[in-house]
Short mmCIF file of all heavy atoms in Angstrom, two decimals:
data_model
loop_
_atom_site.label_atom_id
_atom_site.label_comp_id
_atom_site.label_asym_id
_atom_site.label_seq_id
_atom_site.Cartn_x
_atom_site.Cartn_y
_atom_site.Cartn_z
N GLU A 1 -33.08 72.63 50.92
CA GLU A 1 -32.39 73.08 52.13
C GLU A 1 -33.04 74.34 52.70
O GLU A 1 -33.20 74.47 53.91
CB GLU A 1 -30.91 73.33 51.84
CG GLU A 1 -30.13 73.90 53.01
CD GLU A 1 -30.05 73.00 54.24
OE1 GLU A 1 -30.59 71.87 54.24
OE2 GLU A 1 -29.45 73.45 55.24
N ALA A 2 -33.41 75.27 51.86
CA ALA A 2 -34.07 76.49 52.34
C ALA A 2 -35.39 76.16 53.02
O ALA A 2 -35.72 76.71 54.07
CB ALA A 2 -34.30 77.46 51.19
N ALA A 3 -36.15 75.23 52.43
CA ALA A 3 -37.42 74.82 53.04
C ALA A 3 -37.18 74.08 54.35
O ALA A 3 -37.90 74.27 55.33
CB ALA A 3 -38.20 73.95 52.07
N ARG A 4 -36.15 73.24 54.38
CA ARG A 4 -35.83 72.51 55.61
C ARG A 4 -35.51 73.49 56.74
O ARG A 4 -36.03 73.37 57.85
CB ARG A 4 -34.64 71.57 55.40
CG ARG A 4 -34.27 70.77 56.67
CD ARG A 4 -32.91 70.11 56.52
NE ARG A 4 -31.82 71.04 56.58
CZ ARG A 4 -31.28 71.52 57.71
NH1 ARG A 4 -31.78 71.17 58.88
NH2 ARG A 4 -30.27 72.36 57.67
N LEU A 5 -34.67 74.46 56.46
CA LEU A 5 -34.29 75.43 57.48
C LEU A 5 -35.50 76.22 57.99
O LEU A 5 -35.59 76.53 59.17
CB LEU A 5 -33.23 76.39 56.94
CG LEU A 5 -31.85 75.77 56.74
CD1 LEU A 5 -30.94 76.74 55.99
CD2 LEU A 5 -31.24 75.34 58.05
N ALA A 6 -36.43 76.52 57.09
CA ALA A 6 -37.61 77.30 57.47
C ALA A 6 -38.68 76.46 58.16
O ALA A 6 -39.34 76.93 59.08
CB ALA A 6 -38.20 77.96 56.23
N ASP A 7 -38.86 75.21 57.73
CA ASP A 7 -40.02 74.44 58.14
C ASP A 7 -39.74 73.26 59.08
O ASP A 7 -40.60 72.90 59.88
CB ASP A 7 -40.74 73.88 56.90
CG ASP A 7 -41.17 74.97 55.94
OD1 ASP A 7 -41.40 76.11 56.40
OD2 ASP A 7 -41.28 74.68 54.74
N TYR A 8 -38.59 72.65 58.96
CA TYR A 8 -38.29 71.48 59.80
C TYR A 8 -36.77 71.37 60.02
O TYR A 8 -36.13 70.45 59.54
CB TYR A 8 -38.88 70.19 59.20
CG TYR A 8 -38.72 70.05 57.70
CD1 TYR A 8 -37.64 69.38 57.16
CD2 TYR A 8 -39.66 70.59 56.83
CE1 TYR A 8 -37.49 69.25 55.80
CE2 TYR A 8 -39.52 70.48 55.46
CZ TYR A 8 -38.43 69.79 54.95
OH TYR A 8 -38.28 69.68 53.59
N PRO A 9 -36.22 72.34 60.76
CA PRO A 9 -34.76 72.39 60.94
C PRO A 9 -34.19 71.21 61.74
O PRO A 9 -32.97 71.03 61.75
CB PRO A 9 -34.55 73.72 61.68
CG PRO A 9 -35.86 74.01 62.32
CD PRO A 9 -36.91 73.44 61.41
N HIS A 10 -35.04 70.43 62.37
CA HIS A 10 -34.56 69.28 63.14
C HIS A 10 -34.13 68.12 62.23
O HIS A 10 -33.46 67.20 62.68
CB HIS A 10 -35.65 68.79 64.09
CG HIS A 10 -36.91 68.39 63.39
ND1 HIS A 10 -37.82 69.32 62.94
CD2 HIS A 10 -37.38 67.19 63.05
CE1 HIS A 10 -38.83 68.70 62.36
NE2 HIS A 10 -38.58 67.40 62.41
N GLN A 11 -34.48 68.17 60.95
CA GLN A 11 -34.11 67.12 60.02
C GLN A 11 -32.71 67.36 59.47
O GLN A 11 -32.22 68.49 59.46
CB GLN A 11 -35.09 67.09 58.84
CG GLN A 11 -36.47 66.62 59.19
CD GLN A 11 -36.52 65.15 59.49
OE1 GLN A 11 -36.52 64.75 60.64
NE2 GLN A 11 -36.55 64.34 58.48
N LEU A 12 -32.08 66.31 58.97
CA LEU A 12 -30.80 66.45 58.30
C LEU A 12 -31.00 67.13 56.96
O LEU A 12 -32.03 66.92 56.30
CB LEU A 12 -30.14 65.09 58.10
CG LEU A 12 -29.70 64.36 59.37
CD1 LEU A 12 -29.19 62.98 59.02
CD2 LEU A 12 -28.64 65.16 60.10
N GLY A 13 -30.02 67.88 56.53
CA GLY A 13 -30.13 68.58 55.26
C GLY A 13 -29.80 67.70 54.08
O GLY A 13 -29.05 66.72 54.19
N PRO A 14 -30.33 68.05 52.91
CA PRO A 14 -30.04 67.29 51.70
C PRO A 14 -28.66 67.64 51.15
O PRO A 14 -28.12 68.71 51.43
CB PRO A 14 -31.13 67.77 50.74
CG PRO A 14 -31.39 69.18 51.17
CD PRO A 14 -31.23 69.18 52.67
N THR A 15 -28.12 66.74 50.36
CA THR A 15 -26.86 66.98 49.66
C THR A 15 -27.05 66.65 48.19
O THR A 15 -28.00 65.95 47.81
CB THR A 15 -25.71 66.13 50.22
OG1 THR A 15 -26.02 64.75 49.98
CG2 THR A 15 -25.50 66.36 51.72
N VAL A 16 -26.14 67.11 47.37
CA VAL A 16 -26.20 66.81 45.95
C VAL A 16 -26.09 65.30 45.72
O VAL A 16 -26.84 64.73 44.91
CB VAL A 16 -25.11 67.58 45.18
CG1 VAL A 16 -24.96 67.08 43.75
CG2 VAL A 16 -25.43 69.08 45.18
N SER A 17 -25.17 64.64 46.42
CA SER A 17 -25.02 63.19 46.21
C SER A 17 -26.26 62.43 46.68
O SER A 17 -26.68 61.47 46.04
CB SER A 17 -23.75 62.67 46.90
OG SER A 17 -23.80 62.92 48.28
N TRP A 18 -26.87 62.86 47.79
CA TRP A 18 -28.10 62.21 48.26
C TRP A 18 -29.22 62.35 47.23
O TRP A 18 -29.89 61.37 46.89
CB TRP A 18 -28.54 62.82 49.60
CG TRP A 18 -29.92 62.43 50.01
CD1 TRP A 18 -30.27 61.28 50.65
CD2 TRP A 18 -31.13 63.16 49.79
NE1 TRP A 18 -31.64 61.25 50.85
CE2 TRP A 18 -32.18 62.40 50.32
CE3 TRP A 18 -31.42 64.38 49.19
CZ2 TRP A 18 -33.51 62.82 50.27
CZ3 TRP A 18 -32.74 64.80 49.14
CH2 TRP A 18 -33.77 64.02 49.68
N LEU A 19 -29.43 63.57 46.72
CA LEU A 19 -30.52 63.77 45.77
C LEU A 19 -30.24 63.04 44.46
O LEU A 19 -31.15 62.44 43.88
CB LEU A 19 -30.74 65.27 45.51
CG LEU A 19 -31.93 65.58 44.60
CD1 LEU A 19 -33.23 65.01 45.17
CD2 LEU A 19 -32.06 67.08 44.39
N THR A 20 -29.02 63.05 44.01
CA THR A 20 -28.67 62.33 42.78
C THR A 20 -28.99 60.85 42.93
O THR A 20 -29.62 60.24 42.06
CB THR A 20 -27.19 62.54 42.43
OG1 THR A 20 -26.95 63.93 42.23
CG2 THR A 20 -26.80 61.77 41.19
N ALA A 21 -28.57 60.26 44.04
CA ALA A 21 -28.86 58.84 44.29
C ALA A 21 -30.36 58.59 44.38
O ALA A 21 -30.87 57.60 43.84
CB ALA A 21 -28.16 58.37 45.56
N ARG A 22 -31.08 59.47 45.05
CA ARG A 22 -32.53 59.33 45.19
C ARG A 22 -33.23 59.37 43.84
O ARG A 22 -34.12 58.57 43.56
CB ARG A 22 -33.07 60.43 46.10
CG ARG A 22 -34.56 60.42 46.28
CD ARG A 22 -34.98 61.43 47.33
NE ARG A 22 -36.40 61.62 47.33
CZ ARG A 22 -37.29 60.72 47.74
NH1 ARG A 22 -36.88 59.56 48.19
NH2 ARG A 22 -38.57 60.97 47.70
N LEU A 23 -32.81 60.30 42.99
CA LEU A 23 -33.45 60.43 41.68
C LEU A 23 -33.11 59.28 40.75
O LEU A 23 -33.89 58.94 39.87
CB LEU A 23 -33.06 61.76 41.03
CG LEU A 23 -33.56 63.01 41.76
CD1 LEU A 23 -33.05 64.27 41.07
CD2 LEU A 23 -35.08 63.02 41.88
N ARG A 24 -31.96 58.66 40.95
CA ARG A 24 -31.57 57.54 40.09
C ARG A 24 -32.05 56.19 40.62
O ARG A 24 -32.31 55.28 39.84
CB ARG A 24 -30.06 57.52 39.93
CG ARG A 24 -29.56 58.64 39.06
CD ARG A 24 -28.09 58.52 38.75
NE ARG A 24 -27.71 59.60 37.85
CZ ARG A 24 -26.52 60.19 37.88
NH1 ARG A 24 -25.60 59.79 38.74
NH2 ARG A 24 -26.25 61.16 37.03
N HIS A 25 -32.14 56.06 41.94
CA HIS A 25 -32.43 54.74 42.51
C HIS A 25 -33.62 54.71 43.46
O HIS A 25 -34.10 53.62 43.80
CB HIS A 25 -31.19 54.23 43.27
CG HIS A 25 -29.96 54.26 42.43
ND1 HIS A 25 -29.75 53.38 41.38
CD2 HIS A 25 -28.88 55.07 42.45
CE1 HIS A 25 -28.59 53.65 40.81
NE2 HIS A 25 -28.04 54.68 41.44
N GLY A 26 -34.08 55.86 43.93
CA GLY A 26 -35.20 55.89 44.87
C GLY A 26 -34.81 55.34 46.22
O GLY A 26 -33.64 55.06 46.50
N TRP A 27 -35.81 55.19 47.06
CA TRP A 27 -35.58 54.66 48.40
C TRP A 27 -35.32 53.16 48.34
O TRP A 27 -34.48 52.63 49.03
CB TRP A 27 -36.78 54.97 49.29
CG TRP A 27 -36.70 54.35 50.63
CD1 TRP A 27 -37.42 53.28 51.08
CD2 TRP A 27 -35.87 54.74 51.72
NE1 TRP A 27 -37.08 52.98 52.37
CE2 TRP A 27 -36.12 53.88 52.79
CE3 TRP A 27 -34.92 55.74 51.89
CZ2 TRP A 27 -35.47 53.97 54.01
CZ3 TRP A 27 -34.27 55.83 53.11
CH2 TRP A 27 -34.56 54.96 54.14
N ASP A 28 -36.08 52.47 47.50
CA ASP A 28 -35.99 51.01 47.46
C ASP A 28 -35.92 50.49 46.02
O ASP A 28 -36.49 49.47 45.69
CB ASP A 28 -37.17 50.39 48.19
CG ASP A 28 -38.51 50.80 47.61
OD1 ASP A 28 -38.52 51.62 46.67
OD2 ASP A 28 -39.54 50.31 48.07
N GLY A 29 -35.23 51.23 45.18
CA GLY A 29 -35.11 50.82 43.80
C GLY A 29 -36.24 51.33 42.93
O GLY A 29 -36.34 50.95 41.77
N ASP A 30 -37.10 52.15 43.47
CA ASP A 30 -38.25 52.71 42.77
C ASP A 30 -38.12 54.23 42.77
O ASP A 30 -38.72 54.91 43.60
CB ASP A 30 -39.53 52.29 43.50
CG ASP A 30 -40.59 51.75 42.58
OD1 ASP A 30 -40.44 51.90 41.36
OD2 ASP A 30 -41.57 51.20 43.09
N PRO A 31 -37.32 54.81 41.88
CA PRO A 31 -37.06 56.25 41.94
C PRO A 31 -38.29 57.09 41.60
O PRO A 31 -39.13 56.67 40.81
CB PRO A 31 -35.97 56.46 40.90
CG PRO A 31 -36.08 55.31 39.97
CD PRO A 31 -36.62 54.17 40.78
N PRO A 32 -38.38 58.27 42.21
CA PRO A 32 -39.47 59.18 41.87
C PRO A 32 -39.17 59.88 40.54
O PRO A 32 -38.04 59.88 40.06
CB PRO A 32 -39.44 60.19 43.02
CG PRO A 32 -37.98 60.26 43.39
CD PRO A 32 -37.48 58.84 43.21
N THR A 33 -40.20 60.46 39.98
CA THR A 33 -40.03 61.37 38.85
C THR A 33 -40.00 62.77 39.46
O THR A 33 -40.84 63.10 40.29
CB THR A 33 -41.22 61.25 37.88
OG1 THR A 33 -41.29 59.90 37.43
CG2 THR A 33 -41.05 62.18 36.70
N ALA A 34 -39.02 63.57 39.08
CA ALA A 34 -38.88 64.89 39.68
C ALA A 34 -38.97 65.98 38.62
O ALA A 34 -38.49 65.81 37.49
CB ALA A 34 -37.56 65.00 40.43
N GLY A 35 -39.58 67.07 39.03
CA GLY A 35 -39.67 68.23 38.17
C GLY A 35 -39.22 69.48 38.91
O GLY A 35 -39.30 69.54 40.14
N LEU A 36 -38.77 70.46 38.15
CA LEU A 36 -38.29 71.71 38.73
C LEU A 36 -39.05 72.89 38.13
O LEU A 36 -39.34 72.91 36.94
CB LEU A 36 -36.80 71.91 38.44
CG LEU A 36 -35.85 70.81 38.86
CD1 LEU A 36 -34.43 71.17 38.45
CD2 LEU A 36 -35.94 70.55 40.35
N ALA A 37 -39.35 73.86 38.97
CA ALA A 37 -39.91 75.13 38.52
C ALA A 37 -38.83 76.17 38.65
O ALA A 37 -38.11 76.22 39.65
CB ALA A 37 -41.12 75.51 39.37
N GLY A 38 -38.69 77.01 37.62
CA GLY A 38 -37.70 78.07 37.63
C GLY A 38 -38.35 79.43 37.74
O GLY A 38 -39.56 79.58 37.57
N ASP A 39 -37.53 80.42 38.02
CA ASP A 39 -38.04 81.78 38.20
C ASP A 39 -37.90 82.64 36.94
O ASP A 39 -38.15 83.83 36.96
CB ASP A 39 -37.34 82.47 39.37
CG ASP A 39 -35.85 82.70 39.13
OD1 ASP A 39 -35.33 82.31 38.07
OD2 ASP A 39 -35.22 83.29 40.03
N GLY A 40 -37.49 82.04 35.83
CA GLY A 40 -37.31 82.81 34.60
C GLY A 40 -35.93 83.40 34.47
O GLY A 40 -35.58 83.95 33.43
N ARG A 41 -35.14 83.33 35.54
CA ARG A 41 -33.76 83.85 35.50
C ARG A 41 -32.75 82.73 35.71
O ARG A 41 -31.61 82.98 36.04
CB ARG A 41 -33.58 84.92 36.58
CG ARG A 41 -34.42 86.17 36.31
CD ARG A 41 -34.19 87.21 37.34
NE ARG A 41 -34.73 86.73 38.61
CZ ARG A 41 -34.87 87.48 39.70
NH1 ARG A 41 -34.46 88.72 39.68
NH2 ARG A 41 -35.38 86.98 40.80
N GLY A 42 -33.23 81.49 35.54
CA GLY A 42 -32.34 80.35 35.65
C GLY A 42 -32.21 79.76 37.04
O GLY A 42 -31.43 78.84 37.24
N ARG A 43 -32.96 80.29 38.00
CA ARG A 43 -32.88 79.76 39.36
C ARG A 43 -34.05 78.82 39.63
O ARG A 43 -35.19 79.09 39.25
CB ARG A 43 -32.90 80.88 40.38
CG ARG A 43 -31.62 81.69 40.37
CD ARG A 43 -31.65 82.75 41.42
NE ARG A 43 -32.76 83.66 41.10
CZ ARG A 43 -32.90 84.86 41.65
NH1 ARG A 43 -32.05 85.28 42.55
NH2 ARG A 43 -33.90 85.64 41.31
N VAL A 44 -33.75 77.71 40.30
CA VAL A 44 -34.79 76.76 40.70
C VAL A 44 -35.51 77.33 41.91
O VAL A 44 -34.87 77.77 42.87
CB VAL A 44 -34.18 75.38 41.04
CG1 VAL A 44 -35.25 74.43 41.53
CG2 VAL A 44 -33.46 74.80 39.83
N VAL A 45 -36.85 77.35 41.87
CA VAL A 45 -37.63 77.85 43.00
C VAL A 45 -38.60 76.81 43.55
O VAL A 45 -39.20 77.01 44.60
CB VAL A 45 -38.41 79.14 42.63
CG1 VAL A 45 -37.44 80.28 42.33
CG2 VAL A 45 -39.36 78.90 41.48
N GLY A 46 -38.75 75.68 42.84
CA GLY A 46 -39.66 74.64 43.31
C GLY A 46 -39.24 73.28 42.82
O GLY A 46 -38.63 73.14 41.75
#
């Protein structure tokens, strides 16, 4: 959402339910593999 607001605010924002569904089912039944980078204090930064 922070990246969307900064880089492409014309797009719809993500939601927790959207991302959960995407990670479990993908766009067409082929889900992506996702990874997260943290800042060392428990916050996701990437």
Side-chain angles (χ1 to χ4, degrees):
E1 175 64 1
R4 181 193 72 82
L5 289 171
D7 302 333
Y8 42 93
H10 59 281
Q11 291 289 100
L12 293 175
T15 63
V16 168
S17 59
W18 168 83
L19 184 58
T20 300
R22 178 173 169 71
L23 295 177
R24 288 188 177 146
H25 307 288
W27 174 254
D28 59 356
D30 227 348
T33 301
L36 305 178
D39 66 358
R41 294 182 292 190
R43 290 182 297 195
V44 177
V45 295

